[in-house]
Amino acid sequence: MSDFKMKDIAWAKINEDVLASLESPRKAFWIVLAVCFALVLCGAAAEIYQYNEGLGVALMNNPHYWQTYISNFVFWIGMSHSGTLLSAILLLTQADWRKPIYRFAEAMTFFSIATAAIFPVIHIGRVWDMYWVLPYPNQHAIWPNFRSPLLWDAFAITTYATSSALFLYIGMIPDLAICRDKAKGWRKKLYTAMSLGWMGRATEWIAFQKTYVLMACFLVPLAVSVHSIVASDFAMSMMPGWHVTSFPPYFVAGALYSGCAAIITLFVLLRYLFKFEAYMTPEIMDKTARLTFAIAMAWNFLNLSEYASIWYSHDMFEHEMLIDKFTGPYAGVVWTMLFCATIVPFAMAWKKVRVNMWAMFVISLLIQLGMWLERFQIVSPPLASNHEPWTQVAVWPGLVQMTITAASFGWFTMLFLIFCKVFPSVSMYEVKEMVYHRNKHGKKKLQDLEKIKDDMIKTEEGLS
Amino acid sequence: MSLSRMLENWSRLNQRDYYKDEPIMWGMSIDLNKCTGCASCVTACYAENNIPAVGKEKCATGHTMHWLRIERYWDLPESEADLAVEESEYPERGAHFAPMMCQQCNHAPCEPVCPVAATYHNPDGLNAQVYNRCIGSRYCGTNCPFKVRYFNFFDYSEDIPHPMEMLLNPDLTVRSKGVMEKCTFCVQRLRNAKGDQADKGIRGHVEDGAVQTACQQSCPTEAIVFGNLKDSESKVSKAWEDHNVELNRHEQFHEEGERGYRVFEELNVEPSVMYLDRVRDTNA
């Protein structure tokens, strides 16, 4: 073993670099963590206040029953999709540039679901009875209502959270074993328990690869169905502006879009905080930006086709709602959304922008703002412009709602940063694979082929 | 909660004639010609149904709980005479009032979306709301085209000062924070009436006029008529017949003198409340 290490210094360096991220991040790491923690505390205070006083303090009112809690829920569920995209879809399509960044994307998936799952709890009127949505044997002699999209949501979220957590964990096992070999103290105990006695035997690798690819095949359709179900919360209703058949694909595209933007944000953040400059290269950023651009175009197409199908339909209420979106009280939100999510991504057409970390950081934040507003303009304007003229009043989220929204960002970032501090956020074994393949298919390709052929002949001789 | 219950065909609950063999289907008729907008029905509804009066500030933030509200509309000018009035010093020709309460839809959009089945259709044709089962997801409210569902955003019952709780109607509950509520067609009165009939040994039939809703009882012009739509002798089914309004029709076909319509019936929600259009003298 030692012989091998000496020969290939780069491989050992991968381990060292990634393991260093568990030890000494920049000072800014602690500052960001502290800010996030403070936000979470503010949000907790707001939630306690709302819980004691009643949901009215959030300034939702009687025709305006839903607001930012629902749009946040959709936003965070959406964000979780790109992690699956990056790790599962790109795994199946064998795009090897994903390897240094897929681990944190997977972690992002899991933590954004963890954030999204909080919002129904905050939103609901009697949270202490929330378990009634689950079909468990009970003395009420009543099942939940299987026709309700909210019930499908409950199933979808629990399934997606469980499988994405498993996917993240399974993919991490070989790396946890490396950590186990290097760590001391409490970390040693943690990694020993979590690496499940991984030895790196060939049989283990075969079983591991099979499981991992199978999980990926399971996760891709699951992710699509999860956001389609979230979309059906709206599409199944009869509100003008929500009752849109194209919502499921539109939501999935929007989810991938905002998620890709989030990957870019965290890419830049991690690269800086944990000194991953050698791994998260501008080349990978370029590819991620191209992917984001493609998804942005798909989303824009679906958005326009939604407007077009409303415009060319002859539904009076839908028409009125669409016009009200662009000219009514929420027009500012809609136009900002269109600027951030439709115009800003065109900046990524230039390669200079695509490889510039800080430019991409700003663009990704703008896209995320746009996509958050997109969720807001799905939920709120139809409630202020629906069938019943009596209810047509604009309602803006109050301080409580905005504090909890900000806290959700703090909560997500806090969990994510803690994860990156405790677990390797760059996949060591996959990066090694990548390095190996690149060497192999590079200049030395022909020699290697000769060598492999020789090896094979030798093995066959040995077998016979 | 049994397996057979779960394997039942749930979609049949969505069929409008699911309760067609039941003897009672409560319905209403509101004559907008007679409505003066005096709001005594609203007041009676508050008193009968223990609805909290939320006060000025919460009213301003839209937390009002009126199960029955009077909607006021100003008619658009229709004729030359109308336009002349519009331009004059006093442009109003009087408002158009529409008392709006839960329409007890027979194909209610609020029912299928509730995750815990807290709102369902009962055999008497009422859209029942089970407060104890409600978890407050408010999906029913967003999906209601009439927006007549009211959510308890605060714990209003706690704010009742001491002797005032004596004013509460003992026939029904005081709702707590976090549940949805709405017009029930005064279901407590309907249950009492059915109970009285049952005491006399009559089941499945309530005499027309034996039960009144609070809004109907208090309406000075008798604009509101309430009764059993399945009883062809009742006042309300006669009114429906007179104005040629039928269930399971998405638009009503009117001849001379027929003014009946149901609000948003083109949405296929099958409301149980018929409105009679207001007649205006356009030549005045």
Side-chain angles (χ1 to χ4, degrees):
Chain A
M1 269 311 260
S2 60
D3 191 34
F4 162 78
K5 261 186 191 170
M6 294 289 283
K7 260 188 204 166
D8 209 331
I9 193 78
W11 284 40
K13 198 170 175 306
I14 293 171
N15 282 3
E16 268 170 32
D17 284 351
V18 175
L19 291 175
S21 75
L22 309 176
E23 302 293 335
S24 57
R26 283 180 210 268
K27 251 185 199 161
F29 171 86
W30 299 107
I31 298 169
V32 176
L33 195 67
V35 170
C36 292
F37 186 63
L39 277 175
V40 171
L41 284 184
C42 290
E47 166 58 14
I48 290 167
Y49 172 60
Q50 178 188 284
Y51 180 87
N52 285 332
E53 291 293 310
L55 272 160
V57 294
L59 291 188
M60 281 177 280
N61 64 23
N62 267 324
H64 222 102
Y65 309 96
W66 283 8
Q67 214 168 23
T68 54
Y69 298 149
I70 295 291
S71 42
N72 272 316
F73 170 72
V74 179
F75 177 80
W76 287 109
I77 286 278
M79 189 178 275
S80 70
H81 277 57
S82 57
T84 314
L85 168 86
L86 219 73
S87 46
I89 299 180
L90 297 184
L91 172 76
L92 297 178
T93 55
Q94 299 182 327
D96 78 338
W97 58 270
R98 76 182 242 291
K99 285 175 176 165
I101 58 169
Y102 84 93
R103 170 73 46 74
F104 84 76
E106 265 171 30
M108 193 186 95
T109 296
F110 179 62
F111 292 121
S112 46
I113 296 179
T115 315
I118 295 175
F119 276 99
V121 179
I122 297 173
H123 168 83
I124 223 161
R126 299 206 299 169
V127 61
W128 50 93
D129 289 332
M130 201 174 162
Y131 62 96
W132 287 351
V133 299
L134 298 174
Y136 68 102
N138 62 61
Q139 290 170 307
H140 304 131
I142 187 170
W143 287 102
N145 183 0
F146 290 104
R147 296 179 294 168
S148 168
L150 289 188
L151 187 76
W152 312 342
D153 266 359
F155 294 144
I157 296 168
T158 41
T159 315
Y160 195 39
T162 319
S163 17
S164 64
L166 269 179
F167 192 55
L168 171 67
Y169 174 55
I170 290 174
M172 223 161 48
I173 290 176
D175 280 358
L176 286 172
I178 298 175
C179 296
R180 171 198 62 196
D181 297 343
K182 299 280 164 74
K184 286 175 193 141
W186 64 272
R187 279 174 182 262
K188 178 106 185 164
K189 278 180 196 161
L190 176 74
Y191 298 139
T192 308
M194 288 189 76
S195 56
L196 303 177
W198 177 271
M199 299 296 284
R201 293 190 198 95
T203 46
E204 283 173 358
W205 276 109
I206 291 168
F208 170 80
Q209 292 291 5
K210 270 187 190 162
T211 320
Y212 199 60
V213 172
L214 272 178
M215 279 292 284
C217 295
F218 173 67
L219 261 176
V220 175
L222 180 70
V224 172
S225 77
V226 165
H227 219 58
S228 304
I229 286 172
V230 171
S232 65
D233 283 355
F234 301 97
M236 289 279 171
S237 83
M238 54 190 301
M239 285 276 289
W242 289 3
H243 185 73
V244 183
T245 320
S246 68
F247 257 16
Y250 173 60
F251 269 51
V252 174
L256 294 178
Y257 185 21
S258 69
C260 275
I263 285 179
I264 293 174
T265 315
L266 294 176
F267 184 110
V268 180
L269 206 65
L270 280 190
R271 187 174 192 265
Y272 176 73
L273 291 180
F274 293 108
K275 307 167 200 165
F276 278 141
E277 283 86 351
Y279 297 87
M280 302 183 177
T281 55
E283 185 207 355
I284 296 173
M285 176 60 99
D286 180 42
K287 292 235 165 71
T288 319
R290 281 160 187 255
L291 182 69
T292 313
F293 186 75
I295 294 169
M297 292 306 110
W299 176 83
N300 272 303
F301 169 73
L302 287 164
N303 194 24
L304 286 178
S305 62
E306 183 208 324
Y307 292 154
S309 62
I310 293 174
W311 186 253
Y312 290 110
S313 79
H314 290 279
D315 190 324
M316 181 179 74
F317 301 112
E318 295 272 2
H319 258 214
E320 221 168 86
M321 200 282 310
L322 187 65
I323 294 168
D324 205 58
K325 257 189 188 177
F326 288 104
T327 58
Y330 295 105
V333 170
V334 176
W335 289 111
T336 316
M337 181 269 288
L338 285 177
F339 172 75
C340 291
T342 303
I343 304 201
V344 167
F346 281 98
M348 288 188 288
W350 285 275
K351 182 152 189 179
K352 267 190 183 168
V353 177
R354 286 203 301 268
V355 294
N356 185 327
M357 291 297 155
W358 294 108
M360 286 307 293
F361 188 66
V362 173
I363 287 176
S364 70
L365 285 180
L366 279 177
I367 291 176
Q368 281 184 75
L369 171 71
M371 290 312 284
W372 192 88
L373 292 176
E374 187 243 0
R375 273 56 181 252
F376 182 77
Q377 64 92 37
I378 287 173
V379 177
S380 250
L383 285 163
S385 168
N386 51 62
H387 301 100
E388 176 61 66
W390 177 81
T391 61
Q392 293 177 352
V393 181
V395 173
W396 292 95
L399 187 64
V400 173
Q401 282 192 59
M402 292 324 286
T403 312
I404 288 177
T405 302
S408 73
F409 284 86
W411 168 251
F412 167 79
T413 319
M414 186 180 83
L415 289 181
F416 182 77
L417 287 179
I418 292 174
F419 172 86
C420 293
K421 183 79 176 65
V422 178
F423 298 106
S425 52
V426 169
S427 169
M428 291 180 261
Y429 73 91
E430 290 241 37
V431 171
K432 284 176 198 162
E433 266 176 28
M434 187 176 82
V435 171
Y436 175 72
H437 280 290
R438 291 205 169 166
N439 285 342
K440 199 171 138 189
H441 299 303
K443 287 172 194 168
K444 298 179 211 159
K445 200 176 173 184
L446 284 174
Q447 296 167 356
D448 276 359
L449 266 180
E450 291 296 311
K451 200 169 165 272
I452 290 169
K453 271 179 195 166
D454 285 351
D455 285 352
M456 279 176 73
I457 292 165
K458 274 179 198 165
T459 336
E460 274 169 16
E461 278 170 359
L463 282 172
S464 60
Chain B
M1 182 167 186
S2 63
L3 197 63
S4 61
R5 214 358 100 83
M6 194 170 167
L7 297 175
E8 248 180 313
N9 178 11
W10 286 51
S11 66
R12 86 205 152 97
L13 298 172
N14 250 353
Q15 288 158 9
R16 274 157 282 174
D17 52 358
Y18 178 54
Y19 289 129
K20 66 173 185 290
D21 298 329
E22 297 291 332
I24 295 176
M25 192 192 127
W26 299 111
M28 200 177 254
S29 154
I30 300 176
D31 192 342
L32 301 183
N33 245 357
K34 291 182 183 166
C35 178
T36 60
C38 70
S40 67
C41 50
V42 180
T43 316
C45 184
Y46 266 81
E48 170 71 21
N49 291 306
N50 295 341
I51 305 175
V54 297
K56 219 179 187 176
E57 283 157 21
K58 283 176 185 161
C59 187
T61 50
H63 294 124
T64 331
M65 302 294 289
H66 40 32
W67 288 4
L68 169 56
R69 60 177 189 244
I70 304 276
E71 293 181 353
R72 190 178 60 180
Y73 297 103
W74 301 95
D75 292 353
L76 291 170
E78 282 170 3
S79 63
E80 298 252 328
D82 272 357
L83 282 170
V85 176
E86 290 288 321
E87 283 161 16
S88 69
E89 193 179 348
Y90 303 103
E92 306 95 88
R93 303 184 60 192
H96 178 130
F97 299 105
M100 177 57 72
M101 75 290 272
C102 173
Q103 307 285 303
Q104 315 288 349
C105 304
N106 290 294
H107 197 195
C110 52
E111 286 166 11
V113 298
C114 176
V116 291
T119 181
Y120 75 106
H121 223 68
N122 84 0
D124 292 350
L126 295 178
N127 176 245
Q129 173 75 19
V130 187
Y131 306 126
N132 284 345
R133 180 68 177 167
C134 180
I135 59 168
S137 76
R138 314 197 280 293
Y139 200 170
C140 53
T142 55
N143 208 23
C144 172
F146 308 93
K147 295 282 177 283
V148 283
R149 291 183 151 263
Y150 297 94
F151 183 70
N152 282 278
F153 279 103
F154 295 99
D155 210 341
Y156 299 109
S157 57
E158 276 181 359
D159 298 340
I160 304 173
H162 169 51
M164 301 292 278
E165 76 270 9
M166 304 295 219
L167 278 173
L168 294 173
N169 183 350
D171 289 346
L172 76 161
T173 56
V174 175
R175 280 78 57 187
S176 66
K177 178 173 76 179
V179 301
M180 193 60 96
E181 59 184 62
K182 65 168 191 76
C183 165
T184 60
F185 271 180
C186 293
V187 68
Q188 65 282 5
R189 294 186 175 199
L190 307 181
R191 303 300 295 199
N192 279 344
K194 276 176 89 175
D196 289 348
Q197 296 294 90
D199 288 347
K200 290 181 205 159
I202 309 163
R203 285 187 190 275
H205 177 74
V206 176
E207 218 172 298
D208 195 37
V211 56
Q212 283 188 312
T213 61
C215 49
Q216 176 194 17
Q217 189 182 17
S218 61
C219 182
T221 57
E222 297 188 357
I224 299 174
V225 179
F226 174 82
N228 181 4
L229 279 175
K230 292 226 173 116
D231 173 5
S232 55
E233 297 304 307
S234 70
K235 266 171 110 182
V236 67
S237 49
K238 277 186 179 153
W240 279 53
E241 206 176 304
D242 286 349
H243 292 277
N244 194 16
V245 172
E246 273 177 29
L247 287 170
N248 297 334
R249 234 164 49 182
H250 301 160
E251 57 184 312
Q252 310 299 338
F253 309 102
H254 288 148
E255 286 170 24
E256 193 67 26
E258 293 169 356
R259 300 180 283 127
Y261 68 95
R262 294 177 297 158
V263 180
F264 300 143
E265 55 194 338
E266 71 275 19
L267 297 177
N268 198 10
V269 293
E270 292 297 323
S272 301
V273 180
M274 175 188 73
Y275 286 82
L276 297 178
D277 206 358
R278 189 181 173 195
V279 177
R280 296 276 308 267
D281 183 359
T282 47
N283 300 319

